[in-house]
Amino acid sequence: MAPMPVPYIRLATHDDEDALARLDRVTWSTLHSVQPRPQPPYDPFFNERFGPRDHLVAELDGKLAGYIRLGYPSTLACHSHVRQIQGLVVAETARGAGAGRALLRAAREEARRQGARRLTLRVLGHNTPARTLYESEGFAVEGILPEEFLLDGAYVDDVLMGCHL
């Protein structure tokens, strides 16, 4: 059996815009999104709030396999020591190849490089694969907002997770 390719992680560039936007659309699911399904005309992937500098991308065999968005949880100066993962997407074809884990580890290192002391995220309670990955990488549940969202006719918890850097 041939060895699995190792994900290559890099900072996003403006040239990634179309591929990231397509990836976002094809992976959309209420398993991980509270936003409505994207419909044409599609919004740009990069915007005033999040640009290429806020995204790390994973490549497998030279093809974009996923991304992670790293941002500030708020604009408050007293909150600037925290970074928040505000999106993690892995292509269906790349799942199980370590891209998500590599992106998570790279985000942790990038947050440290930026001087952050904590890394946080929010995940839907029913997203067991993501929660398992986060827990295996040292994130702990720090709070639960019960039945915070109504998705596909079911109430879903919003789970707050974090780790110290």
Side-chain angles (χ1 to χ4, degrees), residues 5-58:
V6 176
Y8 170 67
I9 308 299
R10 62 173 174 79
L11 198 60
T13 69
H14 283 287
D15 291 340
D16 295 315
E17 168 113 21
D18 291 341
L20 289 169
R22 272 192 309 278
L23 179 63
D24 241 12
R25 290 192 298 270
V26 300
T27 59
W28 182 92
S29 164
T30 55
L31 179 64
H32 56 80
S33 181
V34 297
Q35 299 295 322
R37 180 182 294 279
Q39 299 293 324
Y42 300 114
D43 291 332
F45 183 82
F46 297 128
N47 55 43
E48 308 78 43
R49 187 168 175 213
F50 296 110
R53 73 189 175 287
D54 304 305
H55 296 83
L56 296 168
V57 298

Side-chain angles (χ1 to χ4, degrees), residues 22-129:
R22 272 192 309 278
L23 179 63
D24 241 12
R25 290 192 298 270
V26 300
T27 59
W28 182 92
S29 164
T30 55
L31 179 64
H32 56 80
S33 181
V34 297
Q35 299 295 322
R37 180 182 294 279
Q39 299 293 324
Y42 300 114
D43 291 332
F45 183 82
F46 297 128
N47 55 43
E48 308 78 43
R49 187 168 175 213
F50 296 110
R53 73 189 175 287
D54 304 305
H55 296 83
L56 296 168
V57 298
E59 292 181 351
L60 282 171
D61 288 334
K63 295 180 185 156
L64 192 112
Y67 75 84
I68 195 164
R69 179 179 296 137
L70 191 62
Y72 291 91
S74 76
T75 58
L76 299 169
C78 61
H79 210 188
S80 65
H81 64 286
V82 179
R83 294 299 177 280
Q84 187 174 60
I85 293 170
Q86 298 182 353
L88 172 60
V89 173
V90 175
E92 189 72 38
T93 56
R95 293 193 181 152
R101 187 173 305 279
L103 284 164
L104 200 53
R105 289 176 178 176
R108 175 179 265 160
E109 289 309 309
E110 178 61 17
R112 274 193 196 109
R113 189 191 68 72
Q114 293 177 12
R117 294 174 44 93
R118 283 181 36 78
L119 184 58
T120 63
L121 59 89
R122 297 170 74 166
V123 61
L124 294 173
H126 65 193
N127 192 343
T128 303

